[in-house]
Amino acid sequence: MFSSKTCSVLLILSLALGGASARALLTTVSAGGDVGADAETGNVGGAPSTVAKEPPVEIGSAGNYVMLTKTGISTVPTSDITGDMGVSPIAATAMTGFSLTADPTNKFSTSAQLTGQAFAADYATPTPALLTTAVSDMETAYTDAAGRANEDAERQNLNAGALGGDYGGEFAPLTPGVYTFGSDVSIGANIYFEGTGPVTGQGDTDVFIIQMTGNLMQVANTRVILRGGALAKNIFWQVSGAAAISEEAHMEGILLVKTDVLFKTQSSLSGRVLAQTACNLQEATISDAALSE
C-alpha cells in the first residue's frame, strides 16, 4: 500500500500526464505496479497498461482496392495510382480518363496511370461476385465506423470541426481513439496523428476514428502527418457527406465516404478511397503501398 503523501504525488503526476497516460498510471498504481513513467511514450513502467485500445474498423475484401466506388472513378490525366481499383454495380464505362486496355481474359483492365489493375461489374467471372462482396464489406465498414461510441466530451465537436493549430496541430496532435463531429470537418493547416510510440505494439496498433455528420474538406498545401508510430491503415475517416482534398494537399488514412470524393490538382493520399458514390481525380497521386508495411 502507498502512504497518503505518495498517493498525492501520484495523483498530481497522473493529472500532469493527462489522457491515456493518466489512466495507465492510475491503473498501474491500483495494481501495485511500478510507476516509473517511460520518457518516450508516457506509458507506465513495469506491467503493460491495461487501458483497452480502440479496435480497428474491419474493411474485409474492400481492402483489396486502393479505390472502390459504386458509381464511377474519373481522372483528369495524368494521375498516378498504386493499387487496384474497382467499380460496382456500375460498368467499366464509369471509369473515365484512364484509357483502359482490357486484358484478354476480360477479368480486368490496365492503364498507364495505374500500377495495378482495374475491375468492374461487367467484367468476366469471378470479378462481378468479388466486387459485390467488396462493396458490401465497404458499406459494413462505414456503418461500423459511424457507430463507434464516443463518451469523451473533449473529443466531441473539437473546435467546431476546424482542425489545425491548437486543435490537431504540431503541439496539440490528435491522439488514439474516436473523435465525433456533428458538422463538417475542415483541415485548415497541417494536422498530426500521434501514436503511443515506435515500438511494435505501441503506435502501430493505435486506432483513430474521425466521425462526421457533414463533409470533409482539406485546404490547399496542407498535410496530414503521422508520428509516434501511427499508421495510415489505422486512421478511419467516416464521412456522412462528401470529401474534397484541395490542390497539393496530402491526406493519410482510409476514407469511408457516404457520397463522393474529389482530389484536386496535385493532391495525394496514402491510404484508400472507399466511396459509396464516385471518386474524381485531377492529376492526383493515390497509393496504398504504405498500408502493407
Side-chain angles (χ1 to χ4, degrees), residues 157 160-161 181-185 211-215:
N157 299 309
F181 298 90
S183 64
D184 293 341
V185 170
Q211 306 166 325
M212 65 200 75
T213 60
N215 302 312

Side-chain angles (χ1 to χ4, degrees), residues 245-256:
I245 313 302
S246 294
E247 293 84 352
E248 299 189 31
H250 177 71
M251 169 58 70
E252 297 264 353
I254 313 297
L255 297 177
L256 296 164

Side-chain angles (χ1 to χ4, degrees), residues 190 218-223 245-251 263-268 282-283:
N190 291 351
Q218 183 175 1
V219 305
N221 301 297
T222 61
R223 300 184 65 83
I245 313 302
S246 294
E247 293 84 352
E248 299 189 31
H250 177 71
M251 169 58 70
F263 283 87
K264 295 185 179 181
T265 306
Q266 300 299 313
S267 60
S268 59
Q282 299 173 357
E283 300 178 13

Side-chain angles (χ1 to χ4, degrees), residues 33-78:
D34 181 359
V35 296
D38 187 310
E40 177 73 22
T41 66
N43 289 336
V44 175
S49 169
T50 57
V51 176
K53 291 191 174 186
E54 187 73 29
V57 176
E58 298 295 338
I59 62 175
S61 63
N64 294 330
Y65 305 89
V66 66
M67 290 188 293
L68 179 65
T69 79
K70 295 172 70 173
T71 66
I73 302 172
S74 71
T75 178
V76 176
T78 300

Side-chain angles (χ1 to χ4, degrees), residues 236-281:
F236 301 92
W237 301 87
Q238 179 267 313
V239 184
S240 296
I245 313 302
S246 294
E247 293 84 352
E248 299 189 31
H250 177 71
M251 169 58 70
E252 297 264 353
I254 313 297
L255 297 177
L256 296 164
V257 183
K258 187 67 172 180
T259 62
D260 62 279
V261 180
L262 171 63
F263 283 87
K264 295 185 179 181
T265 306
Q266 300 299 313
S267 60
S268 59
L269 167 71
S270 178
R272 303 188 195 282
V273 177
L274 304 178
Q276 296 186 38
T277 60
C279 181
N280 302 296
L281 312 176

